[in-house]
């Protein structure tokens, strides 16, 4: 409340801005940010609500935590299908994580159940003749976790724990071939340089994830040292990280130090306890049934789509054309179709798809719209992928806060033009 007894919310509403616009408008002007959303329902904001911070090699990003660093990418960066390195979100689990890497000492070990263990410098990787590229989305398993109802523990991400880059690197399979995988091997374990505290007694002080040796996820995996034509930012895994197109980023191990071939499945904390989802349709369960649910390690990303503009921060004049714009992607087959609704989901029409950067990339979409009537209306977007999967309105719930992919909605205010 101010001295006149008028709340800030009333003032903004008088100016034609809804609650959803409040945080965005405040942040855009670099004002005191709104406190994190702690309301009883799902978070209505597109992104999480926190201070903008500037870390080395980074643009201003939304801070969720500082030790370890977790930063979310603000909405407007998703107008383009390639996320600039400086704007790319950041997530580490262990504190401390690397703040420098000495390349004269850094080596990637390919070891374990192999005939010829390898020790590769960054130069060894860069000079190989099998260096290749892929454009792929890196999305945190917990992206949009703040939508969960009832709420679940973990970083309360809005929609910005994702990004898409052109990754340059060496096929993981090629390194394994060079090392000679021995008979009886089942998985390849990936470990980063980070050492830190996690839950005690669970072997979680190192970040280790494993991919099955059989299967097409490993066929697509790269050890990447390039991101959009430049070295990886330190916070995104310099000097090299794993990229697994189609899979959630929990497998995209950063600051990679060990590629370890295992002759039995990885039973460490990050595979056996964390990042598991119920084996139910869409990985959804209920708080009552969760404890008894059979689970499996999380893997491919379901289809999602996002409206990036208009973002609700300004009134739209009636009769003036605007362009609805955003992105879509899926880890289960290329996006085949995007539909938009300007009446809250009552009627839908097809959006135009932008440049095809590959089946694992963000696909930009756009749809022109001329608002016909003053008042509030809700914009919606939904996508379909080559597997036939289409987004719906049903929420997902699981205790980890993973796999959210419900249809996104954005309220906008249309005002008279005269
Ligand atoms: N070494 C290491 N790699 C890691 C993690 C980590 O904690 N340590 N977190 C993973 C998770 S859960 C996410 S969401 C992504 C985030 O990638 P980014 O920070 O480049 O956006 O890194 C993955 N790779
Ligand atoms: Mo993540």
């Amino acid at each position: 409340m101010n001295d006149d007894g008028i709340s800030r919310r009333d003032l903004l509403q008088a100016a034609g801005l809804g609650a959803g616009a409040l945080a965005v408008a405040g942040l855009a002007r670099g004002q005191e940010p709104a406190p994190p959303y702690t309301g009883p329902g799902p978070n209505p904001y597109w992104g999480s609500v926190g201070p903008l911070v500037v870390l080395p090699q980074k643009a201003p990003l939304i801070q969720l935590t500082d030790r370890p660093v977790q930063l979310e990418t603000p909405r407007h960066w998703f107008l383009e299908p390639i996320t600039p390195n400086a704007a790319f979100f950041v997530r580490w689990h262990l504190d401390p994580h690397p703040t420098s890497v000495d390349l004269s000492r850094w080596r990637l070990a390919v070891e374990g159940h192999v005939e010829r263990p390898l020790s590769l410098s960054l130069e060894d990787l860069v000079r190989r003749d099998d260096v290749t590229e892929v454009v792929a989305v890196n999305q945190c398993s917990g992206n949009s976790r703040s939508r969960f109802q009832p709420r679940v523990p973990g970083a309360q991400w809005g929609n910005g724990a994702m990004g898409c880059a052109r990754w340059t690197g060496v096929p993981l399979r090629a390194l394994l071939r060079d090392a000679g995988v021995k008979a009886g091997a089942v998985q390849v374990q990936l470990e980063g340089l980070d050492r830190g505290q996690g839950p005690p007694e669970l072997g979680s002080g190192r970040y280790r994830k494993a991919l099955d040796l059989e299967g097409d996820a490993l066929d697509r995996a790269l050890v990447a040292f390039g991101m959009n034509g430049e070295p990886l930012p330190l916070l995104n895994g310099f000097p090299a990280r794993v990229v697994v197109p189609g899979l959630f980023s929990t497998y995209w191990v950063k600051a990679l130090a060990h590629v370890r071939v295992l002759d039995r499945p990885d039973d460490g904390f990050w595979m056996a306890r964390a990042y598991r989802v119920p084996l139910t349709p869409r990985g959804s369960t209920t708080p009552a049934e969760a404890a008894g649910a059979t689970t499996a390690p999380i893997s491919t990303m379901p289809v999602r789509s996002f409206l990036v503009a208009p973002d609700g921060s300004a009134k739209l004049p009636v009769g003036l054309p605007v362009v609805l714009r955003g992105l879509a992607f899926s880890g289960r087959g290329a996006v085949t179709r995007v539909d938009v609704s300007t009446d809250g989901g009552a009627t839908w029409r097809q959006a135009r798809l932008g440049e095809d950067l590959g089946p694992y990339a963000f696909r930009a979409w756009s749809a022109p719209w001329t608002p016909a009537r003053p008042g509030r209306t809700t914009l919606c977007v939904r996508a379909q992928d080559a597997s036939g999967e289409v987004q719906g309105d049903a929420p997902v719930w699981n205790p980890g806060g993973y796999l959210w992919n419900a249809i996104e909605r954005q309220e906008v205010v249309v005002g008279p033009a005269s």
Side-chain angles (χ1 to χ4, degrees), residues 91 93 140-141 249-250 275:
R91 197 271 189 262
H93 290 81
C140 180
S141 316
S249 32
T250 178
Y275 288 105

Side-chain angles (χ1 to χ4, degrees), residues 58 68-69 71 88-94 97-98 138-142 157 161-163 167 191-194 206-209 227 233 235-237 241-242 248-256 270 275:
K58 289 285 158 183
V69 173
L71 306 172
F88 216 93
F89 85 102
V90 175
R91 197 271 189 262
W92 293 88
H93 290 81
L94 303 175
H97 45 77
N138 173 18
Q139 182 189 211
C140 180
S141 316
W157 299 109
M162 59 176 187
W167 308 96
E191 180 179 320
L193 283 177
D194 35 340
R206 300 192 175 191
Y207 191 71
R208 293 179 174 141
K209 296 293 296 190
M227 180 174 177
L235 288 167
N236 297 107
R241 77 176 307 168
V242 177
F248 279 104
S249 32
T250 178
Y251 298 98
W252 297 41
V253 175
K254 303 194 281 187
L256 188 66
W270 302 105
Y275 288 105

Side-chain angles (χ1 to χ4, degrees), residues 157-220:
W157 299 109
N159 288 336
M162 59 176 187
C164 178
R166 181 178 298 276
W167 308 96
T168 309
V170 176
L172 186 49
R173 281 263 190 235
L175 299 180
L176 295 174
R177 210 173 298 127
D178 288 0
V181 173
K182 285 188 187 165
V186 294
Q187 283 188 333
V188 52
Q189 185 185 59
L190 312 160
E191 180 179 320
L193 283 177
D194 35 340
R195 303 273 179 273
Q197 290 185 10
E201 312 294 326
L202 293 169
S204 59
R206 300 192 175 191
Y207 191 71
R208 293 179 174 141
K209 296 293 296 190
L211 295 171
D212 288 338
L213 273 174
E214 278 195 10
D216 60 345
L218 189 55
D219 292 338
R220 300 192 299 268

Side-chain angles (χ1 to χ4, degrees), residues 23 36 43 45 54-55 100 122 161 191 201 227 244 253 344 348 385:
N43 185 349
Y45 301 107
V54 182
L55 269 68
S100 69
L122 182 57
E191 180 179 320
E201 312 294 326
M227 180 174 177
V244 198
V253 175
W348 294 86
D385 68 19

Side-chain angles (χ1 to χ4, degrees), residues 56-356:
Q57 304 177 287
K58 289 285 158 183
L61 299 176
I62 306 164
Q63 177 181 282
L64 278 82
T65 59
D66 61 351
R67 291 179 189 206
V69 173
Q70 296 191 84
L71 306 172
E72 179 169 335
T73 303
R75 186 178 191 174
H76 65 88
W77 290 104
F78 298 106
L79 280 172
E80 301 294 334
I82 295 287
T83 317
N85 295 359
F88 216 93
F89 85 102
V90 175
R91 197 271 189 262
W92 293 88
H93 290 81
L94 303 175
D95 175 42
H97 45 77
T99 52
S100 69
V101 176
D102 177 353
L103 289 181
S104 70
R105 295 177 55 195
W106 179 83
R107 294 292 179 273
L108 175 61
V110 183
E111 60 194 9
H113 207 60
V114 295
E115 307 285 355
R116 299 170 293 280
L118 309 176
S119 174
L120 305 167
S121 68
L122 182 57
E123 192 175 354
D124 292 335
L125 290 174
V126 170
R127 287 179 183 254
R128 288 177 65 103
D129 56 15
D130 52 2
V131 169
T132 181
E133 286 193 338
V134 65
V135 182
V137 174
N138 173 18
Q139 182 189 211
C140 180
S141 316
N143 195 23
S144 316
R145 181 180 286 128
S146 61
R147 307 289 194 253
F148 272 64
Q149 188 60 26
R151 295 163 72 80
V152 291
Q156 296 299 304
W157 299 109
N159 288 336
M162 59 176 187
C164 178
R166 181 178 298 276
W167 308 96
T168 309
V170 176
L172 186 49
R173 281 263 190 235
L175 299 180
L176 295 174
R177 210 173 298 127
D178 288 0
V181 173
K182 285 188 187 165
V186 294
Q187 283 188 333
V188 52
Q189 185 185 59
L190 312 160
E191 180 179 320
L193 283 177
D194 35 340
R195 303 273 179 273
Q197 290 185 10
E201 312 294 326
L202 293 169
S204 59
R206 300 192 175 191
Y207 191 71
R208 293 179 174 141
K209 296 293 296 190
L211 295 171
D212 288 338
L213 273 174
E214 278 195 10
D216 60 345
L218 189 55
D219 292 338
R220 300 192 299 268
L222 300 185
V223 173
F225 49 77
M227 180 174 177
N228 295 327
E230 295 179 25
L232 308 178
L234 188 66
L235 288 167
N236 297 107
F238 180 85
R241 77 176 307 168
V242 177
V243 163
V244 198
L247 262 56
F248 279 104
S249 32
T250 178
Y251 298 98
W252 297 41
V253 175
K254 303 194 281 187
L256 188 66
H258 299 272
V259 169
R260 196 174 289 124
V261 178
L262 306 180
D263 59 2
R264 67 189 62 147
D266 184 346
D267 62 358
F269 176 77
W270 302 105
M271 291 300 292
R273 303 284 293 269
Y275 288 105
R276 296 182 69 90
V277 290
L279 283 173
T280 55
R282 301 177 69 225
S284 206
T285 181
T286 63
E289 285 162 24
T294 308
T295 63
I298 195 168
S299 75
T300 55
M301 301 185 289
V303 63
R304 296 199 71 177
S305 57
F306 298 91
L307 178 85
V308 182
D311 65 3
S313 62
K315 225 188 246 183
L316 306 175
V318 91
L320 264 71
V322 293
V323 182
L324 275 44
R325 286 194 284 166
L327 298 168
F329 69 96
S330 169
R332 301 177 183 171
V335 170
T336 50
R337 178 180 172 130
V338 172
D339 293 293
V340 293
S341 170
T342 53
D343 55 13
T347 62
W348 294 86
R349 67 197 160 86
Q350 213 170 327
R352 193 181 69 83
L353 297 182
E355 192 185 352
D356 182 358

